[in-house]
Amino acid sequence: MPQSIHTFRLDNGLTVVVEPMPYVRSVAWTLLLHAGSANDPAGQSGAAQLLNGMVFRGAGERDARALSNALDELGVQRSGGVGTEYTTFSGALLAEDFDAALALYADVVRRPHLPPAELDAVRALTLQSIQSLNDNPVQRLFNEFNKIYFPGPFGRSTLGEPDELDQIDPAALQADHAARYRPAGGVLAIAGGVEPEQARDTAERLFGDWQGAPPTWPQPQARSGPLYHHLQQETAQTQIAVAYQSLPLGDPHYYHERLALNVLSGSMASRLFTEVRVKRGLVYTVYATPRLYRGLGLVLGYAGTQPGRAQETVEVILGELRRLGEGVTAEELNRARTGLLSALVMQGESSTARAAALAGDVFLIDRPRTLEDIRGAVEAVTIDALNEYLAQHTPQTFTVITLGPAPIDLNNHQE
């Protein structure tokens, strides 16, 4: 059956995207609002995180306990959270209860109580998460990576900074909610056993009289030029992050880059896994993955190894990144293509995954992609076209960050 996606724009600027999946009994949704760490109010880093915790402490006619009970009684599987560019509210449940569940979420985002007496408890949970970073070197590495790679607001931690979290009072939180939880530019993506007209009518009834636009959000600004930075911490392993600028979703060569990345790190036969782990036994975990922002993309690689092997591990990873410029084999391309298409099929069978993907597409490129769109773009990349592209766009200008008991020497390995 051909895949159909229906897009509606409410008068208040909220985009509603619906993908009927008549072969499933569930419905999933993702409501995306422009309230991320990058546009936290000045001096209030972590405000989006606090707000996300506070909106579930009572909303509409229900206090926190009644709200939680109502969601549980419907069997809502809750997800979502705060990212750099936005906050998402996601859920999934049996299709017949969709309207009732979405009505509860309309209360959460539009009519939260934001009880002042609950703020200290929510703040304490966030501060505990920040303190726990020192016990989780991998999370701390990625947290610090963001600050270094994005010198501006995109480098802010989604958890915020302790001194700024302490400055956020109930009045500031109310003002932030009034400013950023607005429908214009937001996305409500729905996938599963639901008719498009029913979903549109439900969205119009629950969100149609919501008004307002959030403040203008900043554009991502990444650092330029090669960089090596070491974070001193007495850990048993050295944690390694390697990043370079890639292409944003929507670029004509996006799928060239995506297939090349799968050759590098898409399976147990990929180059990084083979060269770093299988042949040399340098690490147990090594991978590279895309990170997408609106108008910007990057590739972020990770490895964790013994301190005495960190130097060789980074050298091998950088060597494999540069070797992409020599091209890939037809066998590697076929394997990378099959991996991407297999992941597509599995995503297409999950209403939760489809709702999240639809919301992300509309945010990043202003339109949803069908699975057929993606399949066609992946299959259109030939071996000659990919190798010609890689010869002209070899990965370079790396940002390398290590965390561990001692730095490494990259003087002869960075441009």
Side-chain angles (χ1 to χ4, degrees):
M1 179 181 296
Q3 182 186 26
S4 63
I5 298 177
H6 304 259
T7 303
F8 313 97
R9 181 70 60 86
L10 302 187
D11 290 342
N12 58 17
L14 180 69
T15 299
V16 180
V17 190
V18 185
E19 180 176 326
M21 301 169 69
Y23 45 88
V24 301
R25 296 180 57 196
S26 66
V27 171
W29 72 90
T30 290
L31 176 60
L32 182 155
L33 301 177
H34 290 281
S37 57
N39 67 348
D40 276 336
Q44 298 179 24
S45 175
Q49 191 70 235
L50 286 188
L51 201 49
N52 182 248
M54 286 290 288
V55 294
F56 285 99
R57 301 273 173 145
E61 298 177 349
R62 297 173 175 83
D63 62 17
R65 173 59 64 185
L67 177 62
S68 182
N69 288 345
L71 290 168
D72 287 348
E73 286 165 4
L74 290 172
V76 178
Q77 297 182 9
R78 294 176 249 179
S79 57
V82 177
T84 302
E85 295 181 289
Y86 48 72
T87 294
T88 57
F89 297 89
S90 302
L93 79 171
L94 294 176
E96 53 264 35
D97 293 322
F98 168 64
D99 283 18
L102 196 62
L104 293 174
Y105 270 73
D107 281 341
V108 166
V109 299
R110 298 186 58 187
R111 293 172 285 275
H113 298 171
L114 304 179
E118 301 277 350
L119 179 55
D120 284 345
V122 174
R123 191 191 338 259
L125 291 173
T126 304
L127 290 171
Q128 286 183 47
S129 296
I130 294 172
Q131 291 166 356
S132 71
L133 290 176
N134 285 331
D135 297 327
N136 190 326
V138 178
Q139 283 193 16
R140 185 186 170 216
L141 173 74
F142 290 139
N143 199 52
E144 296 299 321
F145 165 81
N146 286 339
K147 296 178 182 177
I148 294 169
Y149 195 82
F150 296 106
F154 273 67
R156 293 173 184 160
S157 167
T158 57
L159 294 174
E161 299 297 333
D163 58 334
E164 297 190 20
L165 284 166
D166 286 338
Q167 301 303 313
I168 301 173
D169 59 24
L173 209 63
Q174 290 278 3
D176 190 22
H177 174 263
R180 288 199 289 173
Y181 276 39
R182 299 290 103 189
V187 184
L188 173 62
I190 304 164
V194 63
E195 293 296 329
E197 293 75 17
Q198 174 203 347
R200 180 191 60 193
D201 292 346
T202 300
E204 181 71 49
R205 175 169 53 82
L206 297 174
F207 300 104
D209 61 344
W210 194 15
Q211 297 297 323
T216 302
W217 52 91
Q219 294 298 308
Q221 298 292 329
R223 68 176 315 281
S224 60
L227 172 76
Y228 171 60
H229 183 82
H230 178 70
L231 301 164
Q232 188 68 30
Q233 185 169 334
E234 295 306 315
T235 53
Q237 285 203 319
T238 295
Q239 311 299 328
I240 301 163
V242 179
Y244 61 94
Q245 191 161 345
S246 182
L247 297 175
L249 186 62
D251 187 281
H253 292 102
Y254 171 77
Y255 291 102
H256 293 67
E257 290 261 357
R258 195 68 185 81
L259 284 164
L261 182 59
N262 248 33
V263 169
L264 189 71
S265 180
S267 69
M268 294 179 72
S270 65
R271 291 185 177 185
L272 282 183
F273 195 89
T274 300
E275 297 296 329
V276 180
R277 174 171 162 166
V278 177
K279 287 186 178 179
R280 296 173 176 83
L282 291 170
V283 303
Y284 188 81
T285 301
V286 59
Y287 63 83
T289 186
R291 275 195 180 186
L292 295 173
Y293 302 87
R294 191 174 171 91
L296 186 147
L298 66 92
V299 171
L300 177 60
Y302 165 78
T305 188
Q306 297 172 358
R309 295 183 168 188
Q311 179 79 36
E312 184 180 0
T313 299
V314 172
E315 290 175 359
V316 174
I317 291 174
L318 294 181
E320 289 305 313
L321 293 174
R322 293 190 177 103
R323 191 160 71 92
L324 282 176
E326 300 171 11
V328 306
T329 67
E331 181 184 359
E332 287 178 315
L333 174 58
N334 288 337
R335 193 161 50 232
R337 197 195 317 272
T338 300
L340 275 181
L341 295 179
S342 295
L344 264 184
V345 170
M346 288 185 278
Q347 185 192 89
E349 295 176 349
S350 164
S351 56
T352 298
R354 286 305 298 155
L358 293 171
D361 282 355
V362 174
F363 175 78
L364 291 171
I365 56 174
D366 297 320
R367 62 177 176 80
R369 295 173 298 163
T370 67
L371 298 181
E372 286 75 17
D373 290 339
I374 301 172
R375 174 186 290 276
V378 169
E379 292 181 338
V381 179
T382 66
I383 184 68
D384 290 340
L386 178 57
N387 284 337
E388 181 180 352
Y389 175 81
L390 289 173
Q392 298 174 4
H393 302 85
T394 303
Q396 57 186 342
T397 314
F398 302 111
T399 295
V400 180
I401 299 174
T402 56
L403 183 153
I408 60 174
D409 180 5
L410 282 186
N411 287 332
N412 296 322
H413 298 277
Q414 290 277 55
E415 292 89 344

